[in-house]
Amino acid sequence: MGLKRNVSLATGLKYKGQGPMLTFVLHRIGGLGMAVFISVHILSSFLGGDLGKFLNDVYENWAFQIFIFFCVLFHAINGLRITILDLWPKLLEHQREAIWVEWAVFIPVYSFAVFVILTTALGG
């Protein structure tokens, strides 16, 4: 028996779930980003030649590295938060605070990484 929900796409996009919904969506984007990176990496090794070199250039690009680092770091920190809340269910009532802690860890680490990537890419 499937769920019967009569929710249109427009209504679903208007949902304002705030922190928990944002972390849910970003966690999925992070997983997809890592899958894209791994696929491009494997394809570049498998294909070789000019196409392989082009794919190497794609994932060695500083903009792609910033995106991939976002995906990996956010996915890891959010996964850690989810794991902690799963292992200690009494902490679920503090889920919003856990999300704030997650952002407090993510933002400085990610900012430092972007700084390093950009200074390296710009030859600084």
Side-chain angles (χ1 to χ4, degrees), residues 14-91:
K14 290 179 189 174
Y15 175 71
K16 294 180 178 26
Q18 297 170 340
M21 183 66 176
L22 178 64
T23 58
F24 173 84
V25 170
L26 290 176
H27 193 76
R28 288 351 180 240
I29 291 172
L32 286 172
M34 289 186 294
V36 167
F37 172 72
I38 292 169
S39 299
V40 169
H41 194 75
I42 290 171
L43 275 174
S44 69
S45 298
F46 180 72
L47 295 174
D50 290 337
L51 186 56
K53 183 173 177 355
F54 171 75
L55 291 174
N56 271 340
D57 291 342
V58 167
Y59 74 77
E60 289 176 356
N61 185 320
W62 62 267
F64 191 74
Q65 288 179 2
I66 288 174
F67 171 70
I68 288 302
F69 194 78
F70 174 87
C71 293
V72 171
L73 185 65
F74 188 84
H75 198 82
I77 293 173
N78 192 55
L80 182 61
R81 177 189 62 86
I82 292 169
T83 302
I84 289 170
L85 293 177
D86 281 349
L87 290 175
W88 292 282
K90 291 183 180 183
L91 294 176

Side-chain angles (χ1 to χ4, degrees), residues 91-102:
L91 294 176
L92 277 173
E93 63 189 50
H94 304 290
Q95 177 173 329
R96 291 200 184 268
E97 290 84 359
I99 291 172
W100 281 106
V101 170
E102 173 184 349

